[in-house]
Amino acid sequence: MKLNPQQQAAVNYLGGPLLVLAGAGSGKTGVITQKIKHLILNVGYPAHQIAAITFTNKAAKEMQERVAKMLPKSQARGLTICTFHSLGMRILREEAGALGYKKNFSILDAADSAKIIGELLGGSGKEAVFKAQHQISLWKNGLQSPEQTFQTASDEWERQIAQIYAGYQATLESYQAVDFDDLIRLPALLLQQNSEIRHKWQLRLRYLLVDECQDTNTCQFTLMKLLTGAEGMFTAVGDDDQSIYAWRGANMENLRKMQEDYPQMKIIKLEQNYRSTARILKIANKVIENNPKLFKKTLWSQFGMGEVVKVVACQNEQHEAEWVVSQIVKQKLVGGDKTQYADFAVLYRGNHQARIFEEALRSARVPYQLSGGQSFFDKAEIKDVLSYIRLIANPNDDPAFLRAVTTPKRGIGDVTLGKLNTYAHAHECSLYEAAQTEEALGLLTPANREHLQTFMNMMEAYRNRAEAADAGEIITSLLEEIGYENHLLNNEEGKAAEIKWRNVSDLTSWLARKGEQDGKNIIEIAQTIALMTLLEGKSEEETDAVKLSTLHASKGLEYPYVFLVGCEEGILPHNDSIEEGNVEEERRLMYVGITRAKRQLTLTHCIKRKRMGTWHFPDPSRFIDEMPPEDIKILGRKGGEPIVSKEEGKSHLASLRSMLAAKRG
């Protein structure tokens, strides 16, 4: 990779803390990986003293692959390239004792956390549970304890949720479990409070490279500062114009705080864009300059002006979807073999907008891929098997116990579990511990007692083998003993059962490979798997298909042809943001959407749109008015050029489809 002068300066600088302001498409990943190479080969840093921290598994994997091509294995050995959560887990696993945890703690996913919070709320609806879960997550990301939140609560609802937070945290501790937020919060608190452990980790990680720094929350920013210490030997890469995650605790002010905390910090701007045409960048620059700026920068490109940006007014959402799909089919036909379906993306503000585009794409027989589909590790059959693995790793994990003991059914039902739960609650122990006591077993009928003891004997046998036996061997043996394949065949229709068993077989093979390649036992693998259920960075198969994605999920990606749909007041910017006076983040979201496009950008909005059975007539997004008029072409709106009618559009799409089918034949 040939670096431009600014990129080279960022790679070479080692005089203290460095902030690299990396505009969209400016090659920030290349700068980070080249700097890792420079630190090891030219400066003499041992690889094990360097950590590059990302936000998603996907970004970490991309960096790892790039570094692997740059450095021999021997020189890259020990290098840390991982997410904030993975680094937190590494610290937590090593320092568990200092926090009152065992090394085999469980990591609960969002569904397990929601279940605990729901029980504490006393059977409230899903929306109430989601709101409480989100608020607790924000408090944790802000490094606030339950006691602090109760003292600072602004109303009765916050006081109630602060109490739920305290109960939720106490439950996690009793389970010897943490949630995703704790993976960063607990290490940050530990390093804050324990100078000996803090010094140990500062010596271990002598240089940090932090990607997407504008997306850090208070917890992540604090952990970063504690690891780097007063010297601040780090390179932070970020872009205040792409800060779009305030709703989950990201704090763009961290970039400003960084300047205050490290007055000696050097700032280097990366403004040359290697992705988009000059016209697309001009529009992006014009829109984002309406936001107050932490750091002023202007993206530029050597790719020439490029095509004019179309702004299309559609009659309604049906017309919008059909018109967009007709353009994709037409462009694919014109481009022939040089153009792939994967070159096209349809981006929208909210997931609810996807359905009508899915219908139009299916109708046109155009393959598509919906971003953020169900993760492999979220499938019911995978969670069933993982509940056994979690329980082998940590017998205090009550959510795992409840799932494992009831799947497949083995004569243990709500009555048995109710008695067990009452005993466990009264004696402040886990369900697993309760099931091992004669007193609790004495509360059950002879048949229920026998079923439970059979389950417990089996689990104890596998727990005794956990550290020594091969992970793949353990899970294969376990699945056979519990008869999981027969369970699927008896409870699912033929084809569905086959697919689910194939997924379980894939998991078994993956566990075996993980154990062999990484030398991990089943307990360590259980914690690794938990991290893979994070919503960010889910792996998606690379297929030749049109990408349907929210604007949030599209960040970091790029496509030759982008359709940014639903550009209307109330959608983009969103009504909630307008009412809360937070249009600036919505403008950054529009900026992210614009800068995904490489060659061609089209924006659409509807003249009328149906909501709750009623027609509404939204204004075009205010962000369109902020674009330079000489660089956009308005179609279908009064004063603009006409586009085809809905009927003509259907006819045109049908003829294009026929032509495409004939060409395939």
Side-chain angles (χ1 to χ4, degrees):
M1 174 185 176
K2 190 175 182 207
L3 302 176
N4 66 36
Q6 291 74 30
Q7 291 172 329
Q8 191 65 59
V11 167
N12 291 343
Y13 185 75
L14 287 170
L18 170 66
L19 174 60
V20 180
L21 290 168
S26 62
K28 68 180 178 65
T29 304
V31 167
I32 293 172
T33 52
Q34 288 286 341
K35 187 150 194 172
I36 291 171
K37 177 184 174 184
H38 176 65
L39 287 167
I40 294 171
L41 295 187
N42 302 331
V43 185
Y45 270 86
H48 66 265
Q49 291 187 344
I50 301 169
I53 310 173
T54 70
F55 273 81
T56 67
N57 294 321
K58 185 177 178 181
K61 186 180 177 186
E62 183 187 348
M63 280 191 198
Q64 286 164 356
E65 288 170 351
R66 289 203 197 186
V67 169
K69 291 174 184 175
M70 294 177 179
L71 293 170
K73 271 189 181 179
S74 59
Q75 290 182 297
R77 191 170 290 119
L79 175 66
T80 298
I81 300 179
C82 66
T83 63
F84 267 104
H85 290 90
S86 294
L87 179 62
M89 184 179 76
R90 180 177 156 192
I91 296 171
L92 195 52
R93 187 185 283 156
E94 189 166 326
E95 312 296 350
L99 286 160
Y101 278 87
K102 297 172 186 172
K103 289 185 189 296
N104 62 338
F105 59 86
S106 292
I107 303 170
L108 301 191
D109 64 16
D112 288 330
S113 296
K115 192 171 181 182
I116 296 168
I117 291 168
E119 288 170 358
L120 291 168
L121 279 169
S124 299
K126 281 185 179 179
E127 190 176 345
V129 172
F130 174 79
K131 278 183 69 179
Q133 188 175 21
H134 182 63
Q135 183 58 64
I136 290 169
S137 179
L138 288 177
W139 280 334
K140 285 192 172 191
N141 290 335
L143 217 54
Q144 292 180 275
S145 67
E147 296 74 26
Q148 288 170 320
T149 57
F150 192 78
Q151 290 168 3
T152 58
S154 59
D155 55 33
E156 188 53 41
W157 180 81
E158 282 199 2
R159 277 189 286 276
Q160 181 196 0
I161 303 308
Q163 289 179 323
I164 298 296
Y165 177 15
Y168 169 66
Q169 207 55 35
T171 302
L172 289 186
E173 288 169 13
S174 70
Y175 289 175
Q176 278 286 298
V178 298
D179 61 19
F180 287 136
D181 298 322
D182 284 334
L183 287 175
I184 302 169
R185 184 182 73 92
L186 291 175
L189 288 173
L190 178 64
L191 266 59
Q192 254 185 353
Q193 297 162 6
N194 190 314
S195 58
E196 187 179 334
I197 292 176
R198 180 171 67 247
H199 186 59
K200 166 185 163 184
W201 282 91
Q202 286 174 352
L203 287 175
R204 184 175 298 184
L205 300 176
R206 301 299 296 269
Y207 201 95
L208 256 60
L209 300 105
V210 183
D211 192 18
E212 304 284 13
C213 203
Q214 78 282 350
D215 292 334
T216 54
N217 56 42
T218 299
C219 227
Q220 290 159 336
F221 185 63
T222 302
L223 182 62
M224 184 191 103
K225 286 199 301 178
L226 289 165
L227 286 170
T228 55
E231 284 185 14
M233 292 305 290
F234 67 82
T235 293
V237 181
D239 181 8
D240 51 322
D241 291 334
Q242 295 188 77
S243 179
I244 57 173
Y245 294 113
W247 52 276
R248 68 181 186 200
N251 186 359
M252 191 174 69
E253 283 297 303
N254 287 339
L255 293 180
R256 192 194 308 277
K257 286 179 190 171
M258 206 180 289
Q259 285 183 294
E260 296 169 1
D261 294 341
Y262 301 98
Q264 78 277 31
M265 185 172 71
K266 184 176 178 64
I267 297 173
I268 295 175
K269 297 180 186 179
L270 304 184
E271 296 172 291
Q272 183 174 357
N273 175 283
Y274 294 92
R275 176 188 299 157
S276 309
T277 63
R279 197 184 304 272
I280 289 170
L281 296 179
K282 182 181 174 186
I283 285 174
N285 288 329
K286 278 291 183 185
V287 169
I288 203 65
E289 73 181 18
N290 289 280
N291 269 3
K293 307 286 281 184
L294 271 178
F295 307 96
K296 185 170 176 53
K297 65 181 182 306
T298 304
L299 295 180
W300 60 277
S301 164
Q302 291 182 327
F303 293 151
M305 282 306 289
E307 295 181 32
V308 71
V309 172
K310 291 177 186 170
V311 178
V312 182
C314 301
Q315 294 170 18
N316 52 48
E317 56 264 50
Q318 187 77 40
H319 182 210
E320 180 181 45
E322 288 170 355
W323 185 84
V324 167
V325 173
S326 75
Q327 297 303 299
I328 292 172
V329 173
K330 178 182 175 183
Q331 191 72 45
K332 175 72 173 73
L333 192 63
V334 171
D337 295 337
K338 292 181 181 178
T339 305
Q340 304 297 312
Y341 284 119
D343 292 338
F344 299 88
V346 180
L347 309 181
Y348 37 80
R349 176 63 176 82
N351 278 312
H352 67 279
Q353 294 169 260
R355 181 188 57 80
I356 200 161
F357 286 94
E358 287 191 79
E359 291 171 359
L361 287 161
R362 279 199 299 267
S363 176
R365 297 187 183 87
V366 172
Y368 68 89
Q369 185 179 48
L370 193 64
S371 178
Q374 187 185 34
S375 163
F376 178 76
F377 292 101
D378 282 339
K379 295 180 188 295
E381 64 274 20
I382 301 303
K383 294 188 87 166
D384 287 344
V385 178
L386 293 184
S387 67
Y388 284 89
I389 294 175
R390 283 169 50 184
L391 198 58
I392 289 169
N394 175 15
N396 292 319
D397 189 336
D398 279 3
F401 178 89
L402 290 169
R403 189 165 192 134
V405 81
T406 55
T407 313
K409 293 189 183 303
R410 50 172 56 86
I412 299 170
D414 291 343
V415 174
T416 300
L417 293 174
K419 289 177 180 177
L420 211 56
N421 187 56
T422 301
Y423 179 90
H425 186 72
H427 292 80
E428 297 183 348
C429 66
S430 69
L431 293 171
Y432 195 97
E433 289 171 319
Q436 291 177 307
T437 66
E438 283 298 322
E439 192 178 348
L441 290 170
L443 301 172
L444 310 179
T445 66
N448 289 342
R449 176 179 178 143
E450 184 180 344
H451 292 313
L452 184 58
Q453 283 183 309
T454 300
F455 172 78
M456 293 300 295
N457 290 339
M458 178 186 72
M459 292 308 300
E460 278 298 290
Y462 282 105
R463 289 196 67 235
N464 290 333
R465 293 169 56 191
E467 291 194 27
D470 172 80
E473 179 191 323
I474 283 183
I475 201 66
T476 301
S477 172
L478 177 65
L479 289 169
E480 189 175 327
E481 188 163 348
I482 66 176
Y484 193 76
E485 185 176 11
N486 287 331
H487 160 73
L488 291 176
L489 291 170
N490 294 333
N491 289 278
E492 303 284 348
E493 294 181 11
K495 190 67 177 172
E498 283 178 34
I499 292 170
K500 290 194 171 193
W501 180 245
R502 197 182 309 132
N503 288 336
V504 171
S505 299
D506 288 345
L507 174 69
T508 306
S509 301
W510 181 84
L511 283 168
R513 287 197 306 274
K514 201 77 179 161
E516 288 171 15
Q517 292 170 4
D518 299 348
K520 291 184 175 180
N521 60 38
I522 200 86
I523 294 172
E524 293 167 324
I525 289 172
Q527 294 173 332
T528 302
I529 290 171
L531 283 183
M532 294 183 178
T533 66
L534 278 167
L535 291 178
E536 306 162 284
K538 286 181 181 173
S539 59
E540 293 175 350
E541 289 181 21
E542 293 296 324
T543 57
D544 185 22
V546 174
K547 190 66 171 282
L548 297 181
S549 173
T550 62
L551 286 163
H552 284 99
S554 74
K555 189 161 170 287
L557 303 175
E558 56 184 44
Y559 307 92
Y561 307 97
V562 168
F563 293 87
L564 218 170
V565 302
C567 298
E568 300 152 27
E569 290 292 300
I571 295 180
L572 184 63
H574 194 274
N575 263 329
D576 290 349
S577 297
I578 295 171
E579 290 170 8
E580 294 164 6
N582 191 22
V583 173
E584 290 172 13
E585 179 147 333
E586 296 290 300
R587 187 176 282 110
R588 292 195 290 271
L589 205 50
M590 171 65 92
Y591 175 84
V592 165
I594 293 169
T595 53
R596 297 313 92 198
K598 296 168 78 174
R599 296 206 298 268
Q600 190 182 90
L601 174 66
T602 303
L603 288 76
T604 65
H605 64 92
C606 292
I607 294 168
K608 63 177 182 178
R609 186 181 290 272
K610 190 170 278 190
R611 290 182 197 160
M612 308 286 287
T614 305
W615 285 109
H616 293 260
F617 298 85
D619 291 328
S621 171
R622 67 189 69 187
F623 304 140
I624 293 172
D625 291 335
E626 296 172 357
M627 297 175 184
E630 66 273 17
D631 294 297
I632 62 175
K633 184 178 184 180
I634 296 176
L635 304 174
R637 205 195 300 177
K638 189 175 179 181
E641 295 182 28
I643 59 172
V644 293
S645 69
K646 183 177 174 183
E647 290 71 26
E648 289 173 311
K650 281 185 175 178
S651 172
H652 181 57
L653 182 56
S655 63
L656 284 170
R657 199 186 308 147
S658 299
M659 289 168 65
L660 197 57
K663 190 172 180 182
R664 283 178 187 149

